[in-house]
Amino acid sequence: MKTSSNNEQNPNRMHRRSFLRTAAGGGMAVATLPTLIDSFSIQALAGGDPRLHQLLEDQDRVLVLIQMAGGNDGLNTVVPHSDPLYYERRPTIAIPKSKTLRINDTLGWHPAMTGFRSLYDEGKLAIVQGVTYPNPDRSHFRGTDIWLTATDADVMGSTGWVGRYLQTLAPSYPTELPAHPLAVQIGNATSLGLLGSAGPMGISFRDPDEFYRLVNGGGGAGEVPSSDQSDTPAGREVMFMRNIARSADVYASVVKDANDKSGTPSVTFPTTDIGAKLKVVSQLISGGLRSRIFLISWANNNFDTHASQTSTDDATLGTHANLLRELSDAVQAFMQEMKNRGQDQRVAGMTFSEFGRRVYENGSVGTDHGTAAPLFAFGAQVNGGKVYGANPDLVNLDPIGDMLMQYDYRDVYSSVLLQWFGVAASAAQQLLYRDFSSRAPGLFRSKPTSVDDTASREAFISVGPNPATDFVVVRVNVDQHADAHLVLTDLRGGPKATTPVDSWTGVGRLDLQGLPSGTYILSLHVGRAIAHTTIQIAR
Amino acid sequence: MADLRQRSAVLTLEDALHLLRRTTLHPTYARAAALVGKTPAAAVTALFDAPEAPFPSPSWASQTPNITNFNDAYRLWVELQVWWLDRVMASPSPRERLIMLWHNTFTSDYLNVYIAHWMVGQHQMLRANAYSYADIASKIVGDAAMLRYLNGDQSVKGRANENFAREWFELFSLGVGNYTERDVLEAARAFTGWRITGLTGSYNRQLADLGEKTILGQTGNWEWQDVIRITLEQPACNRFVARKLLRNYVEPDPSPESIDAVGALLKTANYNIRTVLTALLTSEYFFDAKLRGALIKSPLELVVGLSSMLGATSVSRVYTGQVMARLTQEPFYPPTVEGWKGHHAWITSSTFPQRQRFGESFVDGRQIGSSSKLTDDAGKAVVPDVIAFLKQLPDANDAEKIVTNVAAVLLPMPITKQQHEVLLEIMLAGAQKYEWDVNAPSAVQRARFLIQAIVRMPEFQLM
């Protein structure tokens, strides 16, 4: 039991201000949660309450992250064809202006990127120029770790930015597993980006059917309980494996169900590695898998084009051209499929790469490790058809001769968290260890902030597990001694459960036993003020 | 702080198994039993001094490479894998596991190198010099596979390719934070002048940048040998190699003090690995009970280890390579120049169930998660003799004791009383303890149940 000496010395804190404090005290507000609600239900439920209407519509947003592993050459991707220095520095590998695909008067796409060009022209793809971070590291592995952990260049992070975000959605993971995986990585590896403080916050597999067979193909003999030696290195490793095994057990059938339900894609995906991976992602989304994050990557450092980046007789052909085509064609097919399946409004994607490459080509028809490079966001709700930031400055370079930063990569993550996922500013600041919101480019059409329902969004510090099964623990942001209670309502408006909020801890625990699967409205009542969010029950 | 004092207590069976798991790919009961009662110093000497059979290269590897299409390249890749897997299935030498450490440090991958002959050459270079980091470090510069993999053969004076120079400092010798961007640029100049001729690299001073350079604070008209010398003089290089050894042999997250202590040994020994490993592997630190089972087995250690423990090392090399690939360690194909990250990276929601399926299927003589039989490469069925495995152990006819003994051989830490109870129940499969008879026909399936239950445990993935 905590003491209240501070409160007694500070009468302001005893005062019941509206019903909320700001979250500056350190809470993580969780406003949007993974759910699936059709528009009819939203109409029926929200009635005349526009804030609630908006809240429900925004629940189900998905982000697809595509890692261009190896360090993508930004200058040959978004070509600054009006800059004579570009051609001077790259006598062999520069893309001729006449071959580029028009972006604007000064920039053109690499000719292999017809898919990106179409999406851009439709306003569904945005270019962010000059993305890196202060004191950029030119090591693949440090660079990748920095991007995945969202730390400063001199900080060794052990958790991923996505993992930390997902942990706010499911604080008791992996003890309590949500009904659907929070994140899915297509491939055999688990990205550092998905690591939370309690281990990986997602699952990885190459193929849903294969995954199901692997998990369920075991022999008949029983399971041996794990030894409880969590204080030894070996004991910790056993627990690490137990948790991963359990999430695989639970999710293999959920993933297979979604994959089975999705049916045949309406578009033909390219038969490339990335095409095949995005096809799996599209199937899972269409089939109803409620994961928030999908992550795919090239399996090797494919973009590490030190040599033979282009063919020697035609700079528009060769290794790099093939990689860009693979990306661009696959994303185009993916977005078309999402549109055909009516999913495109809630799905967005973003590319990233650990660094760009040097301005100068080297003597082996390639480029060495550099710094700033463009990044791409795509989706129907992306403020696309735009270039964020200025064209690359090839004159003012860093002491090594590399391009300077225009956007910190965490500015862009801030856009994702604030605009796309509707995370409260205070929470985004905690997730990224600093406030990047003021420089976040407006990449995503951000319904949550347009509603400006700050009160509701700041009210809930954490709600978990979500999706929930037997109970949900809700931590809210109310003044101590406030008389608060929680009400759970189903989509037809009938109250299903209620509980008081502990006035000391700000925590309420709702018993959900006996309630069927589905979406529910969770309301916090303090006096006459009400804040809403939604939760999912899944059995 | 690592207690590097030499341990004098003679080896128990558990100690001997621990030593074999951490140094060889064959931690079998028979080999461990032969070490029981020896001092650590005597046991480690016996391991290092055991004679090794010669390992000739495939006959095609000495011919001039003539690979013009992917089918030929792929066929030779499989032959390369089989050639090497044949060796590791047969050789109990600590050299084999050490070679993997170097292969995983000075990586080259088959698809980028493309020429199997050069991969054979690199492997043989690592093998011949496995006990000297300094020798490997200077020979890797002109290694044909490495020259191709990191573009050294395409680096041109005046417009040097930085690929090898950067990885030299970052991944091969010092680690991030111990060199500057300027060092990379200057070293890249010093590494020019190499080309590949036939099967090997050759250095042509006419093609090299012989101008003045400043590398790690030293200025001179440095050539590639100077970069190696200057780098290996750095205390950071001692620590870098020390950390590699500690993570490979002792614990995943060694303390800075342990790294410094082993780094000092490396400096004194001038990077002689046998000298340093002998000190490390005979120390109180190495045998610390708290560190048993602290490492996660690589797919190689898992697959070869189980094959060996169950006396089934004739299993198909092609199949073995395929299993390793599914478990994300395809032979001669590390994912990046950083090599396989190892430890936690081995275990995902996808690979962990595959490891379980591999193990339990193997015990039955089946291929991973299928009803297809295990065979050798000639197609002859391979069925692990689980009864022979049990009968080599003491008290095979005592149900309670055989569970304890099987677990002690297969797992790196003792099982709990509760685990023992469950394993006994699984083995007996409804029978009574007194009915257990290792010679009865019904014992075969029961022995399989027992071993399968053990290889499914997360503990089995540890070493």
Side-chain angles (χ1 to χ4, degrees), chain B residues 2-4 246 250-251 254 258 280 283-288 291:
Chain B
D3 182 357
L4 287 175
L246 286 167
V250 188
E251 57 176 324
S258 304
L280 187 60
S283 68
E284 293 287 351
Y285 172 46
F286 176 77
F287 285 98
D288 187 342
L291 297 177

Side-chain angles (χ1 to χ4, degrees), chain B residues 181-216:
Chain B
E181 275 302 307
R182 189 59 64 191
D183 291 325
V184 172
L185 295 171
E186 299 276 85
R189 294 174 54 209
F191 286 126
T192 54
W194 285 94
R195 293 291 177 268
I196 302 172
T197 38
L199 293 169
T200 54
S202 58
Y203 180 60
N204 182 346
R205 288 190 82 219
Q206 311 304 119
L207 297 177
D209 181 341
L210 303 175
E212 186 178 276
K213 312 164 187 81
T214 300
I215 292 169
L216 298 165

Side-chain angles (χ1 to χ4, degrees), chain A residues 369-528:
Chain A
H369 302 185
T371 52
L375 166 158
F376 308 102
F378 54 87
Q381 289 295 327
V382 162
N383 290 314
K386 278 189 206 168
V387 181
Y388 295 78
N391 289 1
D393 181 345
L394 305 185
V395 176
N396 299 300
L397 302 169
D398 76 5
I400 304 294
D402 287 322
M403 288 178 280
L404 297 171
M405 176 172 89
Q406 297 195 55
Y407 284 97
D408 190 301
Y409 70 106
R410 292 162 293 186
D411 298 340
V412 180
Y413 290 177
S414 194
S415 304
V416 168
L417 291 170
L418 297 170
Q419 299 156 16
W420 185 245
F421 285 130
V423 170
S426 55
Q429 185 176 337
Q430 288 201 9
L431 292 170
L432 301 177
Y433 302 126
R434 209 181 309 147
D435 184 10
F436 293 90
S437 60
S438 64
R439 295 196 32 83
L443 290 172
F444 304 96
R445 270 170 226 139
S446 162
K447 289 180 183 174
T449 47
S450 66
V451 175
D452 196 25
D453 184 9
T454 312
S456 282
R457 293 157 42 65
E458 301 280 343
F460 296 94
I461 297 173
S462 67
V463 180
N466 188 14
T469 312
D470 292 333
F471 66 90
V472 62
V473 175
V474 183
R475 184 179 294 271
V476 297
N477 222 337
V478 296
D479 282 351
Q480 288 184 352
H481 307 305
D483 179 16
H485 66 280
L486 295 163
V487 178
L488 190 73
T489 315
D490 70 12
L491 286 183
R492 286 177 299 281
K496 293 297 174 191
T498 183
T499 190
V501 173
D502 181 274
S503 60
W504 278 108
T505 59
V507 171
R509 187 182 190 281
L510 281 162
D511 186 356
L512 308 177
Q513 290 191 40
L515 295 179
S517 297
T519 300
Y520 292 77
I521 307 296
L522 178 64
S523 305
L524 170 66
H525 296 248
V526 184
R528 285 163 55 197

